[in-house]
Amino acid sequence: MSASMGRKVLERFPAGSPRGSWPAEEYAAARRARGEPAKVVMDLKSDAFLVVIATHDDD
């Protein structure tokens, strides 16, 4: 039995937004306040800020 680590995307925010990453950071902060370890990452391919949480996938 082995476990792998992945990510689940909770929300996407366009990088071209006038406020930049702020909406994503605010969303992630709200999720963290509820106990979820959310963080913001940049997806260069889709030009978007993603709010993600780590997941553990058991094989």
Side-chain angles (χ1 to χ4, degrees):
M1 180 159 85
S2 66
S4 62
M5 194 144 190
R7 291 184 180 176
K8 178 181 177 184
V9 176
L10 300 177
E11 193 65 59
R12 298 175 175 270
F13 296 88
S17 165
R19 294 183 62 218
S21 67
W22 289 4
E25 295 291 352
E26 290 170 350
Y27 184 85
R31 298 303 285 243
R32 287 191 297 270
R34 291 191 288 185
E36 291 182 274
K39 67 179 186 176
V40 177
V41 297
M42 178 68 183
D43 180 18
L44 295 175
K45 189 172 184 178
S46 67
D47 195 30
F49 294 105
L50 309 178
V51 178
V52 299
I53 57 171
T55 62
H56 298 281
D57 301 323
D58 293 330
D59 290 343

